[in-house]
Amino acid sequence: CNSPRQMIHTLLLALPLLCTASVGVPPLHKYNITGDLSVSGISAGGFMSVQLHVAFSNSIKHAGIVAGGPYWCSHGNAGHSVLDCNVDPGGIDLNKLYDYTAKQVAAKTIDSSTQLKGSKAIMWSGKIDTVVPQGTMKKARDYYEHYGVEVTTFFNFSAEHGWPTNYWGNACPILLTPFIVNCHYDYAGYILREFYPEGWNHTRGVYHDGNMLKFEQAPFRPKGHASLEFTGYIYVPNYCKLGGSCRLHINLHGCGQNAGVLGTDYVKHTGLNQWAESNRVIILYPQVGASVPNPAACWDFFGYTGKDFALKSGKQMNFIREMVTHIGAKMN
């Protein structure tokens, strides 16, 4: 049996989840979605973005990865994740990752890796990132190129660990919450323009608070919750609210960047929303919360939700698929 001290510790870890119940939060609405799906994320959200891109390559055609790593980098082991993915990327054996990918393709637990060819991956890794070393991102680059993905890298900025913007955040070389760094470069605008070049409006839009909508995630959470928050956020431009045809982009926060910790600082300041407003793109911001196996509120790239964490059947993977499908996009 657990000691009283252990029980109190467990309750304290679970408290952020218990305090974020979706009282009076509206449901997620449906929209008129067209075009390719795309995804982006930072840190654990970057790893998760790669997982989604690889596993759902029939549906998700492009990915923006900030301080993430290659598919199945952790081998489903937290210790392996810390040692190889976050400390010494020299231990990442790409041949093992290719073998695992091929095995899952053969088992039809992920989409065919041939669907990755010609898709885009736009990667940001600061030269002085002390959380996810640049070597890990170089392994992610090599993994992607193995499958014919068109890779663009931003590896020359003297940046610490953080989502890069050109208007908000800590100074570029500073490691500090909210882990958004102002490196005077518009990464968000660049990735959306590359993902959706047709008819791109080069005039940056204006962010509207009223278009950042909170919605109830509970209907999409699997049994056991999988460390998922009760509420999520979605930025819906005026044109899309009125029923116009819009694209859908998914953005995934990193550890400690969830709304339970930062409020709306992260979802408001990625730089994605302004370009979304002027280019008819809806931005979905799913939210992970803190829990006993996941006290830092990280997306699962190391197996705390189960052995299938990186497969289409994974709890968090399917959670995102259910939301995307509900919104009106195809994600099979």
Coordinates of all heavy atoms in Angstrom, one line a residue, residues 43 85-87 128-133 160-161 175 179:
S43 N 9.1 20.9 -28.7 CA 9.6 20.0 -27.7 C 8.7 18.7 -27.7 O 8.7 18.0 -28.7 CB 9.5 20.7 -26.3 OG 10.3 20.0 -25.4
C85 N 17.4 11.0 -26.6 CA 16.7 12.0 -27.3 C 17.0 13.4 -26.7 O 16.9 14.4 -27.4 CB 15.2 11.8 -27.2 SG 14.7 10.2 -27.9
N86 N 17.3 13.5 -25.4 CA 17.5 14.7 -24.7 C 18.9 15.0 -24.2 O 19.2 16.1 -23.8 CB 16.5 14.9 -23.6 CG 15.1 14.9 -24.0 OD1 14.4 13.9 -24.0 ND2 14.6 16.1 -24.4
V87 N 19.8 14.0 -24.2 CA 21.1 14.2 -23.7 C 22.2 13.9 -24.7 O 23.0 14.7 -25.1 CB 21.4 13.3 -22.4 CG1 22.8 13.5 -21.9 CG2 20.4 13.7 -21.3
I128 N 22.0 26.8 -29.3 CA 22.3 26.7 -27.9 C 21.2 26.1 -27.1 O 21.1 26.3 -25.9 CB 22.8 28.1 -27.3 CG1 21.7 29.1 -27.5 CG2 24.1 28.5 -28.0 CD1 21.9 30.4 -26.8
D129 N 20.3 25.3 -27.7 CA 19.2 24.6 -27.0 C 19.8 23.6 -26.0 O 20.5 22.7 -26.4 CB 18.3 23.9 -28.1 CG 17.0 23.4 -27.5 OD1 17.0 22.9 -26.3 OD2 16.0 23.5 -28.1
T130 N 19.5 23.8 -24.8 CA 20.0 22.9 -23.7 C 19.0 21.9 -23.3 O 19.3 21.1 -22.3 CB 20.5 23.8 -22.5 OG1 19.4 24.6 -22.0 CG2 21.6 24.7 -22.8
V131 N 17.8 21.9 -23.9 CA 16.8 20.9 -23.5 C 16.7 19.7 -24.5 O 16.8 18.6 -24.1 CB 15.4 21.6 -23.4 CG1 14.3 20.5 -23.0 CG2 15.5 22.7 -22.3
V132 N 16.6 20.1 -25.8 CA 16.7 19.1 -26.9 C 17.9 19.5 -27.8 O 17.8 20.4 -28.5 CB 15.4 19.0 -27.7 CG1 15.5 18.0 -28.8 CG2 14.2 18.7 -26.8
P133 N 19.0 18.7 -27.7 CA 20.2 19.1 -28.4 C 19.9 19.1 -29.9 O 19.1 18.3 -30.4 CB 21.2 18.1 -28.0 CG 20.5 17.0 -27.4 CD 19.2 17.5 -26.9
E160 N 17.8 29.5 -27.6 CA 17.6 28.5 -26.6 C 16.3 27.8 -26.9 O 15.7 27.9 -28.0 CB 17.5 29.2 -25.2 CG 18.6 28.8 -24.2 CD 18.6 27.3 -23.8 OE1 17.8 26.5 -24.2 OE2 19.5 27.0 -23.0
H161 N 15.8 26.9 -26.0 CA 14.7 26.1 -26.2 C 13.4 26.9 -26.1 O 13.1 27.5 -25.0 CB 14.7 25.0 -25.1 CG 13.7 23.9 -25.3 ND1 13.8 23.0 -26.2 CD2 12.5 23.7 -24.6 CE1 12.8 22.1 -26.2 NE2 11.9 22.5 -25.2
L175 N 16.5 30.8 -21.7 CA 15.7 29.6 -21.4 C 14.9 30.0 -20.2 O 15.3 30.0 -19.0 CB 16.6 28.4 -21.1 CG 15.8 27.1 -20.6 CD1 15.0 26.6 -21.8 CD2 16.8 26.1 -20.1
F179 N 8.7 29.7 -22.6 CA 9.4 29.0 -23.6 C 8.9 29.4 -25.0 O 8.7 28.6 -25.9 CB 9.3 27.4 -23.4 CG 9.7 27.0 -22.1 CD1 8.8 26.6 -21.1 CD2 11.1 27.1 -21.7 CE1 9.2 26.3 -19.8 CE2 11.5 26.7 -20.4 CZ 10.6 26.3 -19.5

